[in-house]
């Protein structure tokens, strides 16, 4: 009897692990997904910025202009994470877009709040293949915040 219970328990556990792995593979929140982002390119007219009130990082974070300027086409998610941290909404690591609320100090020490969206390519084949997402497009709200994506000298 003990052998039968053990085998049944092992079978159930194995089935749950396989099922959980399959269902977790492509988790991607879609409540603010910009049309086309899942394909690595969006039409600027279709941009969807999430409601700032729904950010888990309330109020955003202070960013440096030089860190933002280092983010270029091909920059990986790991590199972006090291420069400006995790996205401020409920994006997962497999999401095709990351959204941030960033704050910058201007020359007069005033703070400007901007939303920053990064779109990633659609060629990702998984960590098992040592593959990484690469950034392909960048958007700002308001558009005037794009000035923070340039190096200062």
């Amino acid at each position: 009897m003990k052998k039968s219970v053990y085998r049944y328990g092992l079978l159930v556990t194995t089935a749950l692990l396989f099922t959980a792995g399959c269902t977790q593979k492509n988790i991607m929140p879609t409540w603010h997904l910009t049309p086309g982002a899942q394909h690595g390119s969006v039409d600027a007219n279709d941009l969807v910025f999430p409601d700032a009130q729904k950010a888990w990082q309330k109020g955003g974070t202070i960013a440096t202009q030089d860190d933002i300027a280092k983010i270029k086409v091909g920059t990986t998610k790991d590199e972006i994470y090291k420069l400006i941290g995790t996205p401020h909404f409920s994006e997962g690591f497999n999401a095709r877009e990351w959204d941030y609320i960033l704050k910058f100090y201007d020359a007069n020490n005033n703070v400007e709040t901007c939303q920053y969206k990064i779109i990633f390519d659609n060629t990702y084949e998984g960590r098992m293949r040592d593959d990484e997402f690469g950034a392909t497009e960048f958007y700002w709200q308001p558009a005037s915040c794009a000035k923070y994506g340039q190096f200062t000298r």
Side-chain angles (χ1 to χ4, degrees):
M1 177 70 180
K2 283 187 178 186
K3 230 181 205 183
S4 175
V5 171
Y6 173 76
R7 284 184 182 169
Y8 178 74
L10 184 61
L11 179 63
V12 169
T13 302
T14 303
L16 286 173
L17 288 175
F18 278 115
T19 306
C22 292
T23 60
Q24 298 294 317
K25 183 177 180 186
N26 291 315
I27 288 179
M28 186 175 359
T30 57
W31 58 269
H32 69 273
L33 187 67
T34 299
Q38 65 272 24
H39 303 296
S41 180
V42 300
D43 182 332
N45 295 322
D46 292 334
L47 281 177
V48 176
F49 281 91
D51 179 355
Q53 300 301 316
K54 293 185 177 181
W56 67 266
Q57 179 72 39
K58 301 296 182 201
T61 58
I62 301 291
T64 68
Q65 190 170 350
D66 287 339
D67 281 345
I68 297 298
K70 292 175 186 171
I71 301 172
K72 305 276 186 213
V73 170
T75 305
T76 67
K77 285 186 174 184
D78 287 336
E79 293 167 331
I80 293 168
Y81 178 83
K82 290 174 187 169
L83 289 168
I84 60 175
T86 58
H88 297 158
F89 296 84
S90 63
E91 296 96 330
F93 204 79
N94 286 332
R96 301 282 188 214
E97 65 182 289
W98 278 5
D99 290 283
Y100 292 87
I101 300 171
L102 302 175
K103 295 183 177 188
F104 299 92
Y105 286 102
D106 66 13
N108 299 321
N109 248 4
N110 296 318
V111 176
E112 183 171 9
T113 302
C114 306
Q115 281 191 266
Y116 184 50
K117 178 182 288 295
I118 304 171
I119 305 295
F120 294 94
D121 63 30
N122 65 344
T123 61
Y124 180 72
E125 294 187 16
R127 291 250 178 220
M128 297 293 280
R129 296 185 181 182
D130 203 25
D131 196 6
E132 295 189 42
F133 283 100
T136 58
E137 298 176 10
F138 313 93
Y139 298 95
W140 292 92
Q141 185 175 310
S144 62
C145 288
K147 63 188 174 211
Y148 295 114
Q150 302 167 3
F151 277 112
T152 57
R153 299 277 180 220

